[in-house]
Amino acid sequence: WAPPWDKFRIVKYEDTSVRVYKTVPFKPPADWRGDINYSARTAAANFDALPTLDGTYCGILLIKPDDTFTKGLPDVPAARAYFDELLPQFSPMITDDALQGILDKEPSRLPLFRYAAPRLHRGASTVLLGDAVHSIKPYFGLGVNAAFEDVVALGDALDAAPTVGDALSAFSRARAAEARVLVSLSRSLDRSGVRAFLSFIGPLILDGIFHGALPAVFAPNTLAMLQKPELSFVHIRWRKRADRAAQLALLAAAATAAVQLACAVLGLAARALARTALGAALRTALPANGALAALPPAAAVAAAVLFARRRMGADIADVLAEQTTDENNPYEEGGGKSGTRPAY
C-alpha cells in the first residue's frame, strides 16, 4: 500500500560486487551428455554453459572487471593460453574462430539491482511487468520466474476485477511489495567483504545451526526458501527476520549465562585465593581492610589486577619469579609474540 501522493519512482542500488561476462560458444564431445548444464568455479571466474537445440553450448564466463581477459588479449594464441589455464576441461572444445569472436566482443555488465515503486500501473491504460519493475542479477534464477509470476498475477486480477482499472490496481497491490523485497533480498546476497559475511555468510551459518537443531521452530536458510514457489518474497523476508530475532535472543541468553558462570567461577577462585599466602599479601597491599573473600567477583578480579600492576613496579627478579604465563602460548595474555589472535 502507498498513499496516492507518493510519486512513482525507480529505486537503484549501487553495484558493490561488479562482474562482467562474455559468451563462449563450444561443441562438447560426442560422449558428453548434451541435455544438461555444465559449470566450473575458480577463484578468478565462474563459467556456466547451457545447451542449445543444435547441440552446441552457450557458455557464460563471469569475471571481474580487472581480469586479464576483460582488459583484452592481443590474439587467439593468447586467448588459448588463457582458457588452457583457466578452464582446461573446456578449452579444447572452443575453436579458434570462436576465440576470435570472443576477442572481438566487448564484455557485458550484469544488470543493476533496481525496482519500481510504490505502484506498478497508471490508471486503466498502463501496467509494468518483469524487468520493468524488478531487475536483479541472474545468480539464483529468480528474474524470469518472477516475471512469470507477474503475468499470472495480472491474469488473475483481470479475471477477478470488474474493470481493467480495478484489475491493474489489484495487480499493483499484489506485486509491488514482491518486486521491492525480491530486489532487496537478492542484493543482500551479492555483497562482498564484511558486508557479505553480515548479510549472507553469517546468516547462512546461523540458519544451518538453528534449523538443524530445531527444524520445527526455525526455517531453512534464505536460499532454500527462495526455491519454494509457494512462498512469497515478502513472507520469506518476514520469516527470516523473525528467525534472526529469535536466534539473536537465544545467543544473547547463552552469552549472559556464560558470563554469569564465568563470574561465579572467578568468585570461587577469588575466595580460594583469599585463603592463600597471596591473599594475605593482597589484604596488606590494598587500602581496604575487608577480606578478599567478601568482595564481589568483579571487584575481586579488579583487586587482583591492581595488585599485579603494583607488583610490576617492584624488583625485576621478584616480578619474573612470580610470572605464571606460558610464554610459548601466543593466545594467552602476555605470552608469545605481540599481535592479535588470527582470523579464520
Side-chain angles (χ1 to χ4, degrees), residues 37-53:
N37 302 346
Y38 291 104
S39 301
R41 300 287 184 269
T42 73
N46 290 345
F47 185 70
D48 292 278
L50 306 177
T52 63
L53 294 178

Side-chain angles (χ1 to χ4, degrees), residues 1-80:
W1 179 86
W5 58 84
D6 196 355
K7 294 182 178 180
F8 174 83
R9 62 191 183 278
I10 299 295
V11 179
K12 298 180 181 180
Y13 291 106
E14 178 186 1
D15 192 353
T16 58
S17 182
V18 181
R19 295 292 187 273
V20 298
Y21 68 92
K22 283 195 173 188
T23 55
V24 181
F26 68 91
K27 180 78 172 180
D31 57 346
W32 282 37
R33 287 187 58 178
D35 58 347
I36 60 175
N37 302 346
Y38 291 104
S39 301
R41 300 287 184 269
T42 73
N46 290 345
F47 185 70
D48 292 278
L50 306 177
T52 63
L53 294 178
D54 63 1
T56 60
Y57 266 72
C58 178
I60 303 296
L61 181 65
L62 193 64
I63 48 183
K64 295 181 179 180
D66 58 353
D67 186 85
T68 303
F69 199 34
T70 307
K71 294 180 178 180
L73 296 173
D75 49 32
V76 170
R80 177 67 64 191

Side-chain angles (χ1 to χ4, degrees), residues 192-258:
S192 57
V194 176
R195 289 180 296 182
F197 182 83
L198 294 177
S199 64
F200 183 30
I201 305 300
L204 283 182
I205 296 173
L206 286 177
D207 289 335
I209 295 172
F210 282 93
H211 178 68
L214 298 170
V217 178
F218 294 99
N221 63 63
T222 302
L223 292 179
M225 296 187 74
L226 287 173
Q227 304 306 315
K228 299 180 181 296
E230 68 274 12
L231 300 179
S232 69
F233 300 124
V234 173
H235 171 83
I236 293 173
R237 160 150 290 187
W238 281 112
R239 178 58 194 271
K240 296 319 299 177
R241 285 178 173 176
D243 281 353
R244 207 70 67 232
Q247 291 166 1
L248 294 178
L250 289 176
L251 291 175
T256 301

Side-chain angles (χ1 to χ4, degrees), residues 46-335:
N46 290 345
F47 185 70
D48 292 278
L50 306 177
T52 63
L53 294 178
D54 63 1
T56 60
Y57 266 72
C58 178
I60 303 296
L61 181 65
L62 193 64
I63 48 183
K64 295 181 179 180
D66 58 353
D67 186 85
T68 303
F69 199 34
T70 307
K71 294 180 178 180
L73 296 173
D75 49 32
V76 170
R80 177 67 64 191
Y82 174 89
F83 277 99
D84 285 345
E85 180 180 358
L86 182 69
L87 299 170
Q89 66 273 52
F90 294 104
S91 182
M93 311 174 196
I94 308 173
T95 65
D96 288 348
D97 290 341
L99 286 177
Q100 186 61 58
I102 297 169
L103 292 175
D104 293 339
K105 292 186 298 184
E106 291 295 324
S108 303
R109 287 192 57 165
L110 295 174
L112 294 175
F113 291 105
R114 60 183 179 180
Y115 65 88
R119 57 188 61 82
L120 309 181
H121 76 290
R122 180 173 178 85
S125 62
T126 306
V127 65
L128 304 177
L129 304 93
D131 286 350
V133 294
H134 43 69
S135 174
I136 60 175
K137 293 184 179 180
Y139 295 155
F140 311 108
L142 296 175
V144 173
N145 288 325
F148 288 153
E149 292 177 357
D150 291 341
V151 173
V152 172
L154 179 60
D156 292 342
L158 289 170
D159 291 338
T163 67
V164 173
D166 291 336
L168 299 190
S169 181
F171 167 79
S172 197
R173 289 193 300 271
R175 297 300 296 174
E178 287 289 284
R180 172 175 53 82
V181 174
L182 165 63
V183 174
S184 59
L185 269 179
S186 302
R187 177 177 177 260
S188 71
L189 305 177
D190 188 57
R191 289 170 173 159
S192 57
V194 176
R195 289 180 296 182
F197 182 83
L198 294 177
S199 64
F200 183 30
I201 305 300
L204 283 182
I205 296 173
L206 286 177
D207 289 335
I209 295 172
F210 282 93
H211 178 68
L214 298 170
V217 178
F218 294 99
N221 63 63
T222 302
L223 292 179
M225 296 187 74
L226 287 173
Q227 304 306 315
K228 299 180 181 296
E230 68 274 12
L231 300 179
S232 69
F233 300 124
V234 173
H235 171 83
I236 293 173
R237 160 150 290 187
W238 281 112
R239 178 58 194 271
K240 296 319 299 177
R241 285 178 173 176
D243 281 353
R244 207 70 67 232
Q247 291 166 1
L248 294 178
L250 289 176
L251 291 175
T256 301
V259 170
Q260 290 176 345
L261 178 61
C263 289
V265 172
L266 288 174
L268 292 174
R271 289 171 174 79
L273 180 64
R275 300 185 181 93
T276 65
L278 181 57
L282 279 171
R283 288 192 292 271
T284 303
L286 292 174
N289 295 324
L292 184 63
L295 293 174
V301 174
V305 172
L306 178 61
F307 172 77
R309 287 182 176 177
R310 287 183 178 179
R311 288 307 305 270
M312 289 302 170
D315 183 79
I316 185 63
D318 295 336
V319 173
L320 290 176
E322 294 182 4
Q323 293 302 299
T324 58
T325 300
D326 182 5
E327 296 182 355
N328 295 319
N329 183 2
Y331 302 140
E332 184 171 338
E333 186 175 358

